[in-house]
Amino acid sequence: MTFTAPSSGASCTFPGGTTETDTTNSSGVATSSACTANSTAGAFTVMAATSGASSPADFSLTSVAVVTSANFVFYASGEDNGGGTGVNYYAIVGALTIDSNGNVLGGEEDYNDAFGITSPNEPTPDAIAAGGTLVLDPTTGLGTLTITSSNTNTGVSGLQTFAVQVVNPGHALITQFDGSAASSGSIDLQSATGITGGNFSFAMSGVDSGYNSWDFGGVFAPSTGAGIVDINDGGSVSVGNSFTSNSGTPDAFGRNVVSVSNPAINLATYTVGPEVMRMIDVDASDAAVGSAYGQGTGTFDNTSLTAGVFAEIGQWSMTYATAGQFATDTAGNITSGLADDNELDNGIQSFGNDISGSTYDLVSSGVNGYGSMTLANNNSISLLGVYMVDPALNINDPNNTVADMGGALIVDLSSSGVTPGGMGVITPQSDTTSTDFSGNYAAGFQDFNYFESVASCGDCEFDMVGPFTMASGGALSTASIGADDSDPLGTISGVESTGDTYGSTPLPVAAGYFTMLGSNGTPNPLNATIDGLSGSFDADIFQASATMLYWINVDATDTSVFLGTLQAQSSVAKARAAHGRTTRIQPQKKTTKTTFGAKLR
């Protein structure tokens, strides 16, 4: 007896596919194994037939979508048009509920540019109304998220649109995509609305009351509110400062209001999971955004850093980026490493810098997981604050529990005064085999640019998210549907453009290090077509693992600086995208299994 399910549309599959042949028992009954419904809703028929039967037996079935919902936390920072007052820094953090059909059911957010578009009712957040949508391409996971805020000064009269590139069911890269701003950030599944005990690391960056870049980071204990913080305010650096914080009670979206003594600011925090928070400064005269991560229950010392990739960007009054890799002797010395440095405003750009001889210190302060790294031969960026995180956490993808775990948050503490405002991460380096960099990736970067002659403002920003494929032969390119570029400030085209392409053949020149340059013997820069305009970027890639890479722009003409990530898309994400309808990051439909029995007559 052969059971046959439809080969397309609503259907189900047996262990061997859409058909299965079973033998009748002594009573003439053939029973199939379980047939599992696919992800397409609708009615369908499974037919049972044999050459000895006068007519087939038909089983009429219907798969019904079960609509579920989940909360997601999102954050981004970049540049907006200041409500027509000029280009300003801005930050946004929020949480929203999305159902499995991609409908936004509500939420809340805090928005701050420290120049008039701060959420008007602080400490009450802006409300996100029901009615927005998340729509993703079924093949690549690239799409758009729309939300409507009660703060009509944001987006387009409160309507905010984000380009979204899915990495996996619980994590995606985003950039604002509505013509009002350019930014980079992420959206992540919320697994808890409250945090656990223990110590946390944190790092934030933004603009102070004088609209100068600043950053600050350190460690603290939520149970007592006490901690230690390093501050770089416009190039004025102070380290080892004590501070206190007073916290309220999280609401249903995991939002909490926190008052901090040093620097004297008020924060709104949104819980992503028990050990992860997104944070935004909500004061009207200054702004900053960042994250806090639990440190777990272990003890950190100099053996906690063995090999890693660091990446840091400064995005306001001093635009720069640096990225590099290192290996240590686990005793405070960096024994080998190289780094790229692109200081756009300082006119300094170099790549492949030998940073062996650098040092780090995670022990002398006596504060667990609080330390520093001194970089040799990396131009102005010479001192980083280092704040270790739980080795069981993934900094870039908080819901990922299987890859790229541990590392540290970092802020720039260089005393030269020329690189204030930088913030980034250290990711442990676990795989430098160049051929392991292969397959489908979600890509994004934040770029400050003098790229084309149409550029009308210094250090204006455009941002990109999109699907990328690294072929087994080493060619990096967009997938069939190209990237989304957000450029409302006119650095290149002045519009939001879709279907843009990027392509190169990255050249491995050292373990974990690829170059895409138009000079120095490497004939394959990162070629781009953005809203029909062609250009190229000199860029390099640092490989922390096969699933986590960082890329940095190192244009020799000092016209552009970007920093971003290449994050491997999981097989779950690809399967989810294959549903062929409005897809979602999470949750899933209910899976039904059916066993059929047919009697031979």
Side-chain angles (χ1 to χ4, degrees), residues 64-325:
V64 179
V66 177
V67 179
T68 57
S69 63
N71 287 351
F72 294 84
V73 174
F74 65 95
Y75 81 104
S77 65
E79 296 178 354
D80 66 15
N81 61 16
T85 62
V87 177
N88 298 320
Y89 170 88
Y90 86 98
I92 186 170
V93 180
L96 47 86
T97 303
I98 305 175
D99 71 17
S100 54
N101 288 328
N103 298 307
V104 175
L105 306 182
E108 59 191 22
E109 67 178 11
D110 293 89
Y111 196 107
N112 191 359
D113 76 347
F115 207 80
I117 310 184
T118 302
S119 296
N121 299 312
E122 293 291 352
T124 300
D126 302 330
I128 296 174
T133 59
L134 172 65
V135 180
L136 304 174
D137 181 88
T139 302
T140 64
L142 178 65
T144 58
L145 168 68
T146 59
I147 62 176
T148 300
S149 172
S150 60
N151 183 357
T152 57
N153 287 321
T154 63
V156 180
S157 299
L159 178 62
Q160 300 165 13
T161 303
F162 296 89
V164 176
Q165 176 59 57
V166 171
V167 180
N168 58 50
H171 174 59
L173 308 178
I174 64 171
T175 180
Q176 195 152 346
F177 207 68
D178 52 31
S180 70
S183 61
S184 285
S186 73
I187 181 169
D188 295 280
L189 176 69
Q190 184 181 66
S191 61
T193 57
I195 60 173
T196 60
N199 290 341
F200 277 66
S201 298
F202 69 94
M204 300 187 71
S205 70
V207 293
D208 65 12
S209 58
Y211 233 74
N212 300 306
S213 296
W214 69 337
D215 62 60
F216 47 95
V219 300
F220 74 102
S223 59
T224 64
I228 185 171
V229 61
D230 301 327
I231 304 172
N232 185 346
D233 189 352
S236 177
V237 177
S238 59
V239 301
N241 306 286
S242 62
F243 83 102
T244 59
S245 59
N246 296 301
S247 177
T249 301
D251 65 14
F253 285 102
R255 181 184 185 270
N256 203 349
V257 178
V258 180
S259 175
V260 176
S261 66
N262 189 15
I265 59 174
N266 295 296
L267 302 177
T269 67
Y270 287 80
T271 302
V272 178
E275 288 190 277
V276 182
M277 294 183 289
R278 305 300 186 199
M279 308 187 299
I280 182 171
D281 172 3
V282 294
D283 296 302
S285 60
D286 44 59
V289 71
S291 300
Y293 290 82
Q295 293 187 310
T297 58
T299 300
F300 300 98
D301 56 29
N302 283 340
T303 65
S304 302
L305 280 180
T306 55
V309 172
F310 65 87
E312 173 186 293
I313 190 167
Q315 67 175 84
W316 185 241
S317 59
M318 285 292 174
T319 52
Y320 71 94
T322 187
Q325 62 185 26

Side-chain angles (χ1 to χ4, degrees), residues 298-378:
T299 300
F300 300 98
D301 56 29
N302 283 340
T303 65
S304 302
L305 280 180
T306 55
V309 172
F310 65 87
E312 173 186 293
I313 190 167
Q315 67 175 84
W316 185 241
S317 59
M318 285 292 174
T319 52
Y320 71 94
T322 187
Q325 62 185 26
F326 63 88
T328 79
D329 62 0
T330 69
N333 301 297
I334 292 177
T335 55
S336 64
L338 52 87
D340 289 346
D341 178 40
N342 190 350
E343 301 176 31
L344 177 62
D345 285 330
N346 292 333
I348 300 172
Q349 178 268 331
S350 60
F351 53 91
N353 304 324
D354 180 3
I355 59 170
S356 59
S358 301
T359 60
Y360 66 99
D361 179 8
L362 298 176
V363 295
S364 65
S365 70
V367 178
N368 189 38
Y370 166 85
S372 63
M373 179 177 290
T374 301
L375 295 175
N377 193 32
N378 199 47

